[in-house]
Amino acid sequence: MPRAPAPLPPMRCGLSDEERTPTVFSTPAAQEAGVSASRLRRGDLVSLGYGLWRLREVEPAQLDLLRALQDLHPEGVFTHATAARVLGLWLTGRLGAGAVIHLAEPRHHGGGTQRPGLRCHRLPPDAPVRVVDGVRVTTSPWTFVDLAKGGAHLDALVALGDSIVRVAHSERRRRELPPGVGTLVELREGVASRPRVKGIRAAREALDLVRSGSGSPQESRLRVAVVLAGVDEPEVNPRIVLSTGQWLRVDLAWLDAKVIVEYDGDQHRTDQRQWREDVERDANLRADGWEVIRVTADVFRPAHLETFLWQLRGHLARRSPVGGGAR
């Protein structure tokens, strides 16, 4: 009976000095760690093409694959949706579709690498990049403009932009913000720095609707739908102080009309504790004179959206001090 393969040693993968036991690794990383060629031929490893290996019985981790590719392309930069995922940005609709890895190398390099699942790009030498988790990626503003080239819907681009300018309302949440978060000024400067590239018009249109404070991509998409329908723009995640002194944050609010819209993800339906908290929140808000409208993912279906907008316009017209709420 053949002996089981010896465990693989920890390796330095990508641009990180941290040693880890990866699910995907490169031949150079294995050689540096002292793994022999005969060990690479054992049955617990699978070749992914020239210079790449993965553990047969373990689901490959995306970042392990990117670090291994970084080993094989030391000057390479991950771009587009690949960069966005590393940076922790929101990808919805067409932006999040597909599993292609986008890799760019400086323009002085030759033809792109031929590897299944890899799309090669050329990157100007002045493109701003950063290193995150051992891989080199384009910065969030550059990535925002790159993704605007692909014909994504406006609401998806706005959600992407909102994720770049996210804010946290507590120290704990600030520590949890992903590496791609920056400021609106940085995003505007990044868009302004590329005035003649393909997709810049879409990037500028989305940028005009980007707001800080959004708590999820669906909240961002809902706000865009409301504004494009001609309804006055709401406050995003404002702090509401009740007459009892209690305060809480809500998704979207028209403060003058005291109307609130809350977007409920699946956890609001499946988590009993969350559901009970929502019921209590709504009761407290309504006791203080607020109208609360709750919506789910169904709101993005055309018929449901029309019904929601009809409800919202009615509440705003009745409750606004000047009967406003719709342009």
Side-chain angles (χ1 to χ4, degrees):
M1 184 174 180
R3 289 186 301 171
L8 291 170
M11 306 176 193
R12 290 192 305 171
C13 300
L15 304 176
S16 172
D17 288 332
E18 178 184 352
E19 290 190 342
R20 48 172 60 88
T21 303
T23 58
V24 181
F25 57 90
S26 68
T27 299
Q31 291 172 337
E32 181 184 329
V35 179
S36 66
S38 60
R39 176 64 183 86
L40 294 177
R41 292 193 293 270
R42 296 301 298 271
D44 63 327
L45 299 179
V46 177
S47 172
L48 296 179
Y50 177 76
L52 284 182
W53 306 86
R54 77 167 177 86
L55 298 176
R56 183 181 295 275
E57 302 298 334
V58 181
E59 183 68 24
Q62 175 79 354
L63 265 172
D64 283 349
L65 175 57
L66 298 184
R67 292 188 194 103
L69 287 168
Q70 187 79 79
D71 285 337
L72 300 178
H73 304 272
E75 294 187 61
V77 181
F78 294 100
T79 65
H80 296 77
T82 307
R85 291 189 175 97
V86 173
L87 292 166
L89 306 183
W90 295 337
L91 297 174
T92 60
R94 292 178 60 179
L95 294 182
V100 172
I101 293 174
H102 296 266
L103 177 67
E105 295 196 83
R107 283 181 171 167
H108 61 78
H109 279 234
T113 300
Q114 299 299 313
R115 189 185 293 275
L118 187 67
R119 182 175 177 185
C120 295
H121 303 270
R122 287 286 170 257
L123 197 65
D126 60 344
V129 301
R130 58 179 298 189
V131 175
V132 176
D133 287 329
V135 297
R136 190 181 293 110
V137 296
T138 49
T139 60
S140 294
W142 188 279
T143 302
F144 177 77
V145 177
D146 276 351
L147 288 172
K149 302 175 186 178
H153 289 163
L154 178 62
D155 62 348
L157 288 176
V158 174
L160 174 66
D162 282 1
S163 72
I164 295 173
V165 301
R166 267 176 283 182
V167 296
H169 302 293
S170 70
E171 181 59 33
R172 179 181 66 83
R173 291 194 177 277
R174 276 190 287 274
R175 291 194 298 267
E176 294 172 351
L177 287 174
V181 171
T183 67
L184 186 56
V185 170
E186 291 169 341
L187 181 57
R188 286 172 175 161
E189 290 175 347
V191 172
S193 71
R194 305 178 70 187
R196 288 179 289 277
V197 300
K198 180 182 178 182
I200 192 62
R201 289 185 180 180
R204 288 169 177 160
E205 184 181 5
L207 180 61
D208 285 342
L209 290 168
V210 168
R211 302 289 183 269
S212 63
S214 184
S216 73
Q218 306 304 355
E219 288 178 27
S220 297
R221 293 180 60 214
L222 184 60
R223 190 189 80 249
V224 171
V226 165
V227 172
L228 294 182
V231 178
D232 286 345
E233 185 169 345
E235 297 289 327
V236 179
N237 268 284
R239 175 171 165 165
I240 305 294
V241 181
L242 302 179
S243 57
T244 60
Q246 175 191 6
W247 67 268
L248 42 81
R249 291 194 182 275
V250 298
D251 295 342
L252 304 175
W254 289 259
L255 301 180
D256 289 343
K258 298 192 77 171
V259 173
I260 289 168
V261 172
E262 296 274 59
Y263 179 87
D264 288 350
D266 285 343
Q267 79 279 5
H268 291 263
R269 174 179 54 83
T270 58
D271 187 325
Q272 287 296 309
R273 180 179 177 181
Q274 180 71 63
W275 179 81
R276 289 193 298 269
E277 289 178 357
D278 291 342
V279 171
E280 182 178 356
R281 275 169 55 98
D282 291 357
N284 291 338
L285 285 163
R286 289 181 175 125
D288 229 34
W290 291 87
E291 183 65 50
V292 182
I293 306 172
R294 286 192 174 270
V295 298
T296 66
D298 286 340
V299 75
F300 297 112
R301 298 179 182 179
H304 290 258
L305 181 60
E306 286 303 315
T307 300
F308 160 69
L309 291 170
W310 173 76
Q311 282 184 305
L312 177 60
R313 289 190 180 102
H315 288 309
L316 293 174
R318 287 190 298 271
R319 301 170 65 89
S320 175
V322 293
R327 297 193 296 274

